[in-house]
Amino acid sequence: MDFLKAIVNDFKGFWGLGGFLDIVKSGNYGKFLTYEGIVSLLVPLTPLLLLLEIIRAAFYKKFRVINYKVSFFTYVLNSFVGRVISFAMVGLCIKWFLPIAIFKTTFTWYWFIYGYIIWEFAHFIYHYLAHKVRILWCLHSTHHAPETMNLSVTYAHFFLEGPYADLIRTSICILLGVNPAMLFVIMFVDGFWGAMIHVGENIIEDGRLGFLNNIILTPSHHRVHHARNVVYMDTNFCNLLNIWDKAFGTYYPEDRSIPIEYGISRPMIKNSFLDAYFGEIVALAKDVYRAPGIKNKVLYIFMPPGWSHTGDHKMTSVVRKKYFEELKAQK
């Protein structure tokens, strides 16, 4: 009974209506103008938009349960494990690194701007490493496995990715002086927009969002990030402010003449949750087992995906370089 009760409570928690209903029951609607009230309004927006996305797809006879399978099972698994570890990691990082921070800031609007730029930098570092270090890609690849884009993809993560991401991001932010209370607000904004950029073509066909495409990272940019097209691979690592992508040369806008193909480059078992969740780990284990010598075994773990001890590299940097060279030769 306790297990069933936990499932029911988790289902209710998924919709994020607790804070909203508490304010309505209290009758103090002025709370909606406070930070707590704004959060209570924004939290349910993602699951409700997901529901709208599913209803709209069903109405136009485009809904396929299989498109949500990997994300659903991943969310169910992670809801009991990943979130607890992730919250604990944030707390530990603040405890460990706050005393040795280079300097400390206060919760003001100008330090908030500083804090968000630092957060975006920390997010870029975590995200870049997740694509460039094989063992970390094993954790991140689950998020890229779905072959369609919809809001449910925001819930598709390997349970250890959250703790790893929070270790990197929280540590950098705290060491560079971001106020802990302010950091939690930044994390909320980041989480909210991080969900919104996964909205599918079923809701917003053109994800460039007009003039906003030149200012912030839009669903269009993130669709490019999730593409397995060679021209798009390993680009747009930022989440809201794309300044670090532009600074480090990983920014790439959507080319509407190139249809996006979602998923990862490794051949997968079609619509398999187990392959999406554990497939990259199994592939890495096989490469490590077959590699000659300790050095090559270690390199397979820490080199980018596609690295080979034979020298026949299939890394993104190699594949993209060859692609653009051939494109240039054709022109």
Side-chain angles (χ1 to χ4, degrees):
M1 290 299 294
D2 289 339
F3 177 72
L4 292 175
K5 186 177 180 180
I7 293 178
V8 171
N9 289 335
D10 197 72
F11 177 78
K12 291 179 179 178
F14 171 78
W15 299 101
L17 292 169
F20 174 82
L21 294 176
D22 287 343
I23 293 177
V24 171
K25 289 177 181 177
S26 71
N28 185 8
Y29 300 115
K31 279 189 176 181
F32 284 123
L33 300 177
T34 65
Y35 171 73
E36 178 187 350
I38 293 172
V39 169
S40 72
L41 291 171
L42 291 179
V43 167
L45 192 57
T46 300
L48 290 175
L49 278 175
L50 173 58
L51 179 62
L52 174 63
E53 189 176 65
I54 292 173
I55 293 173
R56 191 174 188 276
F59 180 79
Y60 287 102
K61 298 181 179 180
K62 295 180 179 180
F63 176 73
R64 297 179 64 216
V65 174
I66 208 70
N67 291 340
Y68 297 84
K69 176 184 175 183
V70 172
S71 300
F72 172 76
F73 282 112
T74 304
Y75 172 79
V76 170
L77 180 60
N78 291 356
S79 64
F80 295 103
V81 184
R83 284 183 292 180
V84 175
I85 302 175
S86 189
F87 288 144
M89 185 60 70
V90 172
L92 287 173
C93 288
I94 293 174
K95 179 181 178 181
W96 291 337
F97 297 114
L98 187 60
I100 58 173
I102 297 174
F103 66 99
K104 293 180 175 64
T105 61
T106 54
F107 201 150
T108 57
W109 67 266
Y110 47 88
W111 282 123
F112 183 86
I113 295 174
Y114 165 81
Y116 211 101
I117 292 173
I118 295 299
W119 167 267
E120 200 67 85
F121 173 70
H123 179 86
F124 178 92
I125 295 297
Y126 131 71
H127 206 172
Y128 183 84
L129 291 175
H131 281 252
K132 297 299 185 180
V133 178
R134 181 87 181 267
I135 186 65
L136 300 181
W137 170 246
C138 289
L139 309 183
H140 187 57
S141 62
T142 301
H143 184 58
H144 282 263
E147 295 184 332
T148 56
M149 178 58 73
N150 55 68
L151 281 168
S152 73
V153 176
T154 192
Y155 301 107
H157 290 277
F158 193 83
F159 80 97
L160 288 176
E161 186 184 13
Y164 149 67
D166 288 325
L167 172 64
I168 298 293
R169 296 183 299 196
T170 307
S171 300
I172 292 175
C173 287
I174 295 299
L175 285 172
L176 293 180
V178 179
N179 181 279
M182 187 166 63
L183 178 60
F184 282 109
V185 176
I186 291 172
M187 291 174 74
F188 170 75
V189 175
D190 176 84
F192 173 75
W193 186 248
M196 291 297 102
I197 56 178
H198 291 92
V199 66
E201 290 89 343
N202 183 46
I203 294 291
I204 301 177
E205 184 177 355
D206 186 350
R208 292 176 292 182
L209 304 184
F211 73 94
L212 290 177
N213 204 59
N214 298 317
I215 303 173
I216 62 174
L217 191 140
T218 62
S220 170
H221 292 118
H222 204 63
R223 290 170 187 176
V224 166
H225 175 74
H226 274 262
R228 63 182 174 212
N229 309 61
V230 174
V231 67
Y232 290 148
M233 291 167 65
D234 284 6
T235 58
N236 301 343
F237 293 106
C238 290
N239 203 53
L240 173 60
L241 308 176
N242 54 34
I243 53 175
W244 296 111
D245 278 312
K246 291 181 177 179
F248 293 114
T250 54
Y251 173 77
Y252 204 94
E254 179 184 0
D255 184 342
R256 298 285 285 180
S257 67
I258 303 177
I260 294 176
E261 298 175 12
Y262 297 109
I264 59 179
S265 56
R266 174 181 64 83
M268 292 181 59
I269 301 173
K270 195 70 174 176
N271 300 315
S272 169
F273 162 70
L274 291 176
D275 192 28
Y277 207 82
F278 299 107
E280 287 296 319
I281 297 175
V282 172
L284 173 58
K286 289 180 178 179
D287 284 340
V288 170
Y289 176 76
R290 295 166 182 165
I294 297 298
K295 178 182 177 181
N296 286 319
K297 293 181 186 297
V298 172
L299 286 174
Y300 267 113
I301 295 173
F302 295 104
M303 290 298 285
W307 180 88
S308 174
H309 72 278
T310 64
D312 183 24
H313 303 306
K314 297 294 190 297
M315 298 178 294
T316 299
S317 57
V318 174
V319 175
R320 291 190 86 229
K321 181 181 179 182
K322 182 180 179 181
Y323 171 85
F324 285 114
E325 286 177 348
E326 291 177 351
L327 190 64
K328 185 177 180 181
Q330 290 174 5
K331 290 183 179 181

